[in-house]
């Protein structure tokens, strides 16, 4: 048997180009990650409805709103298990209201008014069986977000497929504003061997790729950190002029890639992270 039937709903750049994945099983549809904005979530729901099979499960890869905002509209009044790693679910509960306050002025009514939280928590390594699919989680702690994870989906096809959330953005400027680039690099180092024989990685942003995608993300973060380090010169933030230079450097590093506004968005967080690495508090 070939690969499972996977459909992708991808938002436009205003919705961060985020991917939601729908996997069709014998009895229903599994959704991995649920999009950001109300109009995209409605389109994702229409895609689901068009498959004419019930939603049987939702899985959330990590604790960012472009991945969890759409849960409520997909689930509505149905009883559907919404899975997330324990660490991921904990962070979503902590940040969802603050993210709404932060981003509602920008997105207005496009930001969902309520959050539906994951209702079925998974421990690292735990598996869920849905028809002939097995979905298992690997929790990774802080990295791209305050709590990352990926899912391995296997069945009666040759190689398992992976849903890696935002561990590697494919040909897209990444979000670095949670300030965990050092931990993120450690995770990518560990995953390089852990995932070496995985055939297909489905990212949260960009096209499906292979494990080399993880190396690309690693190189991007190393370069981003080095440019921020030089421009910040030990300070915990960057001047506007330095942010412009950073943006020019990263645009040249990854030409023609979307989400260029992410470059400046994460600059201060990474400058602060680097400053704390140089002068660790309480030591
Ligand atoms: Zn994302």
């Amino acid at each position: 048997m070939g690969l499972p039937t996977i459909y992708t709903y991808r938002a436009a750049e205003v919705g961060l180009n985020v991917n939601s994945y729908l996997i069709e099983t014998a009895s229903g549809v599994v959704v991995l990650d649920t999009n950001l904005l109300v109009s995209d979530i409605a389109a994702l729901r229409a895609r689901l409805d068009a498959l004419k099979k019930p939603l049987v499960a939702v899985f959330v890869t990590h604790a960012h709103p472009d991945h969890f905002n759409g849960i409520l509209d997909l689930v509505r009044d149905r009883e559907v298990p919404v899975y997330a790693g324990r660490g991921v679910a904990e962070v979503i509960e902590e940040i969802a209201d603050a993210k709404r306050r932060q981003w509602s002025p920008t997105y207005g009514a496009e930001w969902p008014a309520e959050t539906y939280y994951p209702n079925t928590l998974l421990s690292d390594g735990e598996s869920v069986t849905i028809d002939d699919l097995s979905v298992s989680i690997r929790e990774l702690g802080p990295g791209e977000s305050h709590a990352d994870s990926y899912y391995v989906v296997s069945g009666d096809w040759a190689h398992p497929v992976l849903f890696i959330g935002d561990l590697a953005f494919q040909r897209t400027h990444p979000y670095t504003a949670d300030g965990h680039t050092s931990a993120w690099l450690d995770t990518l180092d560990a995953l390089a061997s852990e995932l070496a024989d995985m055939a297909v990685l489905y990212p949260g942003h960009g096209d499906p790729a292979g494990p080399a995608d993880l190396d690309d993300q690693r190189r991007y973060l190393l370069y981003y950190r080095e440019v921020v380090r030089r421009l910040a010169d030990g300070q915990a933030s960057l001047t506007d002029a330095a942010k412009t230079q950073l943006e020019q450097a990263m645009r040249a590093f990854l030409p023609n890639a979307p989400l260029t506004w992410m470059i400046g968005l994460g600059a201060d967080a990474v400058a602060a992270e680097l400053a704390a690495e140089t002068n660790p508090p309480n030591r």
Side-chain angles (χ1 to χ4, degrees):
M1 190 179 153
L3 292 169
T5 305
I6 300 171
Y7 303 91
T8 305
Y9 177 77
R10 179 177 298 170
E13 192 164 2
V14 65
L16 308 185
N17 297 133
V18 63
N19 295 321
S20 294
Y21 295 106
L22 306 92
I23 307 180
E24 192 175 350
T25 72
S27 69
V29 180
V30 173
V31 173
L32 290 106
D33 288 341
T34 63
N35 249 269
L36 176 71
L37 302 179
V38 165
S39 51
D40 282 307
I41 295 162
L44 170 61
R45 191 188 159 87
R47 192 74 193 84
L48 169 68
D49 290 347
L51 295 177
K52 306 295 181 197
K53 284 184 177 179
L55 177 67
V56 290
V58 176
F59 290 86
V60 179
T61 57
H62 67 287
H64 276 155
D66 50 328
H67 302 262
F68 66 72
N69 264 9
I71 300 171
L72 178 66
D73 196 41
L74 292 183
V75 171
R76 291 205 182 158
D77 48 5
R78 287 179 280 202
E79 280 190 30
V80 177
V82 178
Y83 296 100
R86 291 182 184 283
V88 174
E90 199 173 296
V91 173
I92 292 173
E93 300 231 0
E94 283 167 17
I95 66 161
D97 289 341
K99 289 284 184 188
R100 182 175 294 107
R101 283 194 297 275
Q102 179 186 357
W103 290 110
S104 285
T106 304
Y107 291 103
E110 275 282 19
W111 199 272
E114 280 179 73
T115 304
Y116 187 103
Y117 296 96
N119 57 29
T120 312
L121 306 192
L122 301 171
S123 300
D124 183 32
E126 202 171 339
S127 293
V128 178
T129 302
I130 300 160
D131 296 330
D132 52 359
L133 291 187
S134 167
V135 184
S136 64
I137 187 171
R138 175 91 161 82
E139 279 216 276
L140 298 162
E144 193 264 342
S145 72
H146 297 312
D148 292 344
S149 74
Y150 68 79
Y151 292 100
V152 182
V153 178
S154 41
D156 59 350
W157 56 88
H159 294 282
V161 291
L162 251 77
F163 293 87
I164 59 167
D166 291 356
L167 290 166
F169 284 65
Q170 206 270 337
R171 299 284 316 153
T172 303
H173 291 283
Y175 179 89
T176 54
D178 282 348
H180 301 300
T181 58
S182 176
W184 189 356
L185 282 165
D186 289 345
T187 294
L188 290 167
D189 287 346
L191 294 185
S193 53
E194 194 172 315
L195 304 182
D197 59 352
M198 294 291 172
V200 190
L201 273 52
Y202 288 85
H205 306 261
D207 296 328
D213 211 20
L214 301 167
D215 299 332
D216 289 344
Q217 185 63 72
R218 190 171 172 281
R219 278 190 285 273
Y220 185 103
L221 292 176
L222 287 170
Y223 187 63
Y224 186 97
R225 281 167 57 94
E226 189 53 32
V227 178
V228 171
R229 189 194 318 274
R230 286 173 187 227
L231 292 169
D233 197 22
Q235 301 303 304
S237 64
L238 255 59
T239 63
D240 286 348
K243 282 177 186 164
T244 301
Q245 286 186 55
L246 173 67
E247 188 172 326
Q248 285 166 351
M250 299 317 297
R251 277 174 180 265
F253 184 86
L254 197 60
N256 305 316
L259 305 192
T260 50
W261 63 282
M262 292 287 168
I263 300 168
L265 185 72
D268 288 346
V270 174
E273 186 189 356
L274 292 168
E277 286 172 14
T278 313
N279 301 300
N282 308 320
R283 261 191 228 173

